[in-house]
């Protein structure tokens, strides 16, 4: 018996060593942790339950029968994050570059199936050279099986990808179908195909960092939702995100104890809006002052900064925030901001996370660059996402709410539940100057008349009261009382029941 126990321990030790000490040292030398160290940091101490530690590949080509490392390049199982169950896979770059074989894929599929069945998030730590070249079509088939599960799990359990190494080919398409992707600065890359192939095919010379580094994907492509300094920070931030999320679409997000008075008044908000309507102010200040303990988890912070998306808690409950940012492009909607916010709204809706919308929007960005790139269709994504969302929706208009963008930003007309405005709100088809130039074009040569027309328009529409008279705004509130009003609004909506008509699925303008 003792021998058998010892054999087990020896096999375990061998499996834990992955691709061997030399490769582990190389991994560390690049500033990267090993697959196992990452799992340990991600999960609560001692909570990891591993599956398939001894699984090996079945490839007999290209000398592969001579190297059959235990675990086949991926560590899989489940554990807890602050006591809540999550399923995890962590690719081991020290074993054949973390490449995906048929059996490697089977291990990932197993935990994904369990996650869906048991209603727990899947966190994938990706550090892989993609399809295992020696296995040919078997490895492609394995990837296909993972992709199909990504799709089926979408909207059922949260899926989070952490990219922690060079990821190419299939290794980027699986993360692309998950809800969030995080990268590590200077040590992670995502590309369909790497710089060498790019050079051969297009003659373009580009570094891995330029082609698919964290900066590229958080600032330019928006493929990634955030980038962190190192593995440790990235894993700590994933833990923080998981705390905001429900385990599945069958559950509500966790309610956390809070130590912040819901009725807390913020007198400084009464002067947040500058006297000049064209002077910007920082919408993040409002978000931080609204949130329990000022805790805000921002998603896509570096991309389309004219709109802000992220999670806060109000009375301990998770709320998704979408807010125009007047500091960037005057807070207008454009292609990038519409896509960013639409995806966020849809995430919140499929996981029953209520949405708070803070509005200061002068309209859609005009011009050929936007029109040629399809702002009509991309802008419609946000309109569509808000209009179909059945979660509790509370909106606060702080200043401008002009034109189509007024309608888009969770207005009453798109099933907004409770729509508030500050006294500084201006709800109109457009700004007074632009409106005057169109409806009083004949008087444009006469400065005095034009000024009078502009003032007329301002008096009529540069306020929230016309919309309030029609019931499009439920109440004009004092800025200082926003946290209290919004918290109470969401509290009143906790029992909301709302269903859209049955359909196979919708046809959002992709
Ligand atoms: C088998 C692989 C591998 C792969 C890396 N290795 N990628 N083995 N299949 N796909 C092995 C290497 O042979 C090496 O083994 C070890 O992993 C480390 O690789 P290095 O090249 O030494 O590391 P590095 O210089 O850091 O470069 C990492 C890399 C590069 C950028 C990922 O290895 C690379 O370009 N790999 C190929 C990427 C690729 O084209 N994959 C196929 C994509 S197609 P030793 O024994 O020396 O340690 C695909 C199709 C999916 O994924 C289809 C779905 C749509």
């Amino acid at each position: 018996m003792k021998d058998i126990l010892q054999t087990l321990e020896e096999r375990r030790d061998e499996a834990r060593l992955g691709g061997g000490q030399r490769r582990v040292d190389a991994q560390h030398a690049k500033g990267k942790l090993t697959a196992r160290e990452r799992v340990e940091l991600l999960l609560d101490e001692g909570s990891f339950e591993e599956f398939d530690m001894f699984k090996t590949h079945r490839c007999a080509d290209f000398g592969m029968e001579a190297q059959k490392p235990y675990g086949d390049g991926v560590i899989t199982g489940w554990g807890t994050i602050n006591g809540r169950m999550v399923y995890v896979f962590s690719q081991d770059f020290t074993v054949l570059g973390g490449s995906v074989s048929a059996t490697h894929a089977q291990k990932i599929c197993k935990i994904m199936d369990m996650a869906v069945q048991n209603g727990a998030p899947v966190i994938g730590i990706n550090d892989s050279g993609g399809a295992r070249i020696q296995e040919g079509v078997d490895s492609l088939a394995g990837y296909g099986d993972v992709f199909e599960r990504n799709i089926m799990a979408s909207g059922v359990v949260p899926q989070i990808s952490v990219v922690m190494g060079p990821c190419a080919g299939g290794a980027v398409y699986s993360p692309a179908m998950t809800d969030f992707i995080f990268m590590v600065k200077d040590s992670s890359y995502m590309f369909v195909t790497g710089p060498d192939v790019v050079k051969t095919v297009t003659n373009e010379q580009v570094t891995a960092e330029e082609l698919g580094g964290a900066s590229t994907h958080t600032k330019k492509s928006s493929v990634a939702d955030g980038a962190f300094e190192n593995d440790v920070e990235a894993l700590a931030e994933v833990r923080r995100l998981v705390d905001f999320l429900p385990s599945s679409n069958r559950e509500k997000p966790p309610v956390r104890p809070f130590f912040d008075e819901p009725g807390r008044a913020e007198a400084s908000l009464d002067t947040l809006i500058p006297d000049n309507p064209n002077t910007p102010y920082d919408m993040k200040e409002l978000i931080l002052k609204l949130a329990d303990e000022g805790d805000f988890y921002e998603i896509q912070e570096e991309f389309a900064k004219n709109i802000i998306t992220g999670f806060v808690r109000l009375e301990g409950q998770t709320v998704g925030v979408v807010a125009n940012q007047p500091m960037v492009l005057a807070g207008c909607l454009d292609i990038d901001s519409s896509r960013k916010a639409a995806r966020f709204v849809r995430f919140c809706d499929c996981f029953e996370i209520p949405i708070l919308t803070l509005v200061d929007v002068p309209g859609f960005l005009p011009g050929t660059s936007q029109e040629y790139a399809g702002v009509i269709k991309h802008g419609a994504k946000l309109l569509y996402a808000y209009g179909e969302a059945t979660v509790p929706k509370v909106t606060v208009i702080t200043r401008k709410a002009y034109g189509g963008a007024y309608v888009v930003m969770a207005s009453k007309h798109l099933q907004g539940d409770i729509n508030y405005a500050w006294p500084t709100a201006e709800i109109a088809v457009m700004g007074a100057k632009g409106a005057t130039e169109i409806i009083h074009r004949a008087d444009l040569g006469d400065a005095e008349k034009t000024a009078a027309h502009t003032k007329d328009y301002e008096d009529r529409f540069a306020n929230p009261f016309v919309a309030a008279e029609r019931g499009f705004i439920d109440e004009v509130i004092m800025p200082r009382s926003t946290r209290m009003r919004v918290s109470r609004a969401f509290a009143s909506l906790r029992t909301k029941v709302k269903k859209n008509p049955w359909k196979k699925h919708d046809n959002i303008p992709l």
Side-chain angles (χ1 to χ4, degrees):
M1 180 65 182
K2 209 168 154 217
D3 286 353
I4 296 172
L5 297 184
Q6 191 165 345
T7 307
L8 173 61
E9 276 311 323
E10 281 166 11
R11 282 187 181 232
R12 281 181 171 172
D13 285 345
E14 191 183 335
R16 288 191 188 111
L17 209 52
Q21 195 58 47
R22 184 178 59 81
R23 291 194 181 88
V24 168
D25 293 343
Q27 179 89 345
H28 285 156
K30 288 181 206 154
K32 293 160 65 181
L33 297 174
T34 63
R36 228 163 251 288
E37 288 164 344
R38 288 167 175 164
V39 170
E40 271 157 30
L41 269 182
L42 175 69
L43 300 176
D44 296 339
E45 202 179 338
S47 73
F48 183 49
E49 293 282 346
E50 186 166 351
F51 297 137
D52 293 334
M53 190 185 217
F54 301 124
K55 191 150 181 159
T56 56
H57 68 75
R58 291 189 283 274
C59 177
D61 295 315
F62 303 105
M64 287 296 283
E65 63 279 9
Q67 46 170 333
K68 287 198 165 201
Y70 283 143
D72 203 23
V74 63
I75 294 158
T76 57
W78 69 273
T80 57
I81 290 183
N82 289 322
R84 296 166 67 230
M85 183 165 75
V86 295
Y87 284 86
V88 184
F89 70 84
S90 179
Q91 292 175 314
D92 185 348
F93 192 78
T94 70
V95 175
L96 298 156
S99 59
V100 173
S101 65
T103 40
H104 178 123
Q106 281 165 8
K107 287 183 67 172
I108 295 175
C109 290
K110 185 191 266 188
I111 60 119
M112 291 186 74
D113 289 343
M114 289 178 128
V116 169
Q117 174 189 287
N118 300 334
V122 181
I123 300 170
I125 300 175
N126 298 268
D127 193 353
S128 166
R132 187 168 304 162
I133 295 164
Q134 294 89 334
E135 286 212 5
V137 71
D138 280 342
S139 97
L140 299 182
Y143 255 131
D145 292 341
V146 174
F147 297 159
E148 181 63 22
R149 279 164 178 79
N150 285 133
I151 297 160
M152 289 302 125
S154 179
V156 179
V157 294
Q159 299 181 79
I160 300 172
S161 300
V162 202
V163 176
M164 297 191 134
C167 286
V172 296
Y173 274 112
S174 172
M177 284 183 294
T178 62
D179 297 303
F180 300 106
I181 300 179
F182 298 104
M183 296 182 73
V184 180
K185 291 177 192 168
D186 304 321
S187 64
S188 71
Y189 310 96
M190 296 179 75
F191 24 69
V192 168
T193 189
D196 295 346
V197 179
V198 170
K199 171 97 179 61
T200 312
V201 177
T202 69
N203 214 17
E204 188 186 2
Q205 234 165 340
V206 64
T207 64
E209 182 61 37
E210 286 163 353
L211 186 64
S215 172
T216 296
H217 287 311
T218 51
K219 295 179 185 163
K220 288 192 181 142
S221 73
S222 83
V223 164
D225 297 284
F228 302 105
E229 294 300 326
N230 51 49
D231 287 13
V232 177
E233 191 193 359
L235 296 165
E237 287 296 316
V238 170
R239 286 178 61 89
R240 206 178 133 225
L241 175 61
V242 167
D243 283 349
F244 280 97
L245 306 182
S247 294
S248 74
N249 64 349
R250 308 196 295 258
E251 280 179 32
K252 297 258 185 197
V255 182
R256 307 253 299 171
F258 59 101
F259 307 95
D260 196 355
E261 175 53 41
R264 167 168 57 77
E266 280 288 348
S268 62
L269 292 179
D270 288 349
T271 51
L272 180 66
I273 304 294
D275 290 338
N276 180 342
N278 296 322
T279 304
Y281 61 93
D282 190 357
M283 188 64 99
K284 271 192 201 165
E285 192 179 328
L286 174 56
I287 298 171
L288 296 177
K289 285 181 173 161
L290 283 177
D292 284 0
E293 287 109 26
D295 187 17
F296 178 45
Y297 194 102
E298 191 163 354
I299 298 292
Q300 298 221 340
E301 185 176 359
E302 295 295 330
F303 183 75
K305 292 181 173 190
N306 42 333
I307 209 153
I308 305 166
T309 53
F311 300 104
V312 298
R313 291 189 191 84
L314 292 172
E315 299 190 274
Q317 316 243 0
T318 302
V319 170
V321 180
V322 179
N324 307 116
Q325 171 58 290
M327 305 269 283
V328 180
L329 291 171
C332 73
L333 286 178
D334 59 358
I335 292 171
D336 289 348
S337 57
S338 299
R339 280 181 41 234
K340 168 178 164 179
R343 183 157 167 81
F344 184 75
V345 165
R346 294 196 105 214
F347 175 82
C348 290
D349 192 47
C350 62
F351 287 108
E352 285 301 325
I353 296 172
I355 300 166
L356 171 64
T357 306
L358 305 173
V359 184
D360 187 346
V361 63
F364 276 95
L365 183 65
T368 49
S369 71
Q370 288 287 305
E371 295 290 358
Y372 293 173
V375 67
I376 297 170
K377 214 156 212 180
H378 294 293
K381 289 180 174 145
L382 184 55
L383 174 64
Y384 197 106
Y386 266 126
E388 71 172 350
T390 55
V391 285
K393 291 184 279 192
V394 175
T395 304
V396 180
I397 301 174
T398 57
R399 189 168 62 175
K400 295 170 191 169
Y402 291 166
Y406 152 71
V407 180
V408 170
M409 294 301 294
S411 67
K412 207 68 170 169
H413 324 290
L414 296 178
Q415 305 190 59
D417 291 301
I418 299 179
N419 293 61
Y420 288 135
W422 283 6
T424 41
E426 304 169 24
I427 304 168
V429 175
M430 60 177 69
K433 188 168 169 291
T436 305
E437 283 170 9
I438 292 169
I439 57 182
H440 298 291
R441 189 170 291 157
D443 293 338
L444 275 186
D446 185 330
E448 213 170 286
K449 272 192 180 167
T450 299
H453 291 315
T454 307
K455 179 152 186 338
D456 265 1
Y457 197 85
E458 272 171 9
D459 290 347
R460 178 84 181 113
F461 288 117
N463 64 66
F465 299 108
V466 180
E469 281 165 21
R470 283 157 179 69
F472 301 153
I473 292 297
D474 294 295
E475 192 68 323
V476 181
I477 61 170
M478 290 296 284
R480 69 171 62 205
S481 67
T482 307
R483 174 173 156 85
M484 189 258 288
R485 302 299 291 252
V486 165
S487 299
R488 297 202 77 206
F490 280 118
S492 75
L493 293 166
R494 271 179 208 140
T495 45
K496 177 180 177 183
V497 178
K498 174 107 189 105
K499 277 199 161 49
N500 291 334
W502 186 91
K503 53 185 96 169
K504 186 174 176 194
H505 61 71
D506 58 32
N507 190 15
I508 188 165
L510 288 174

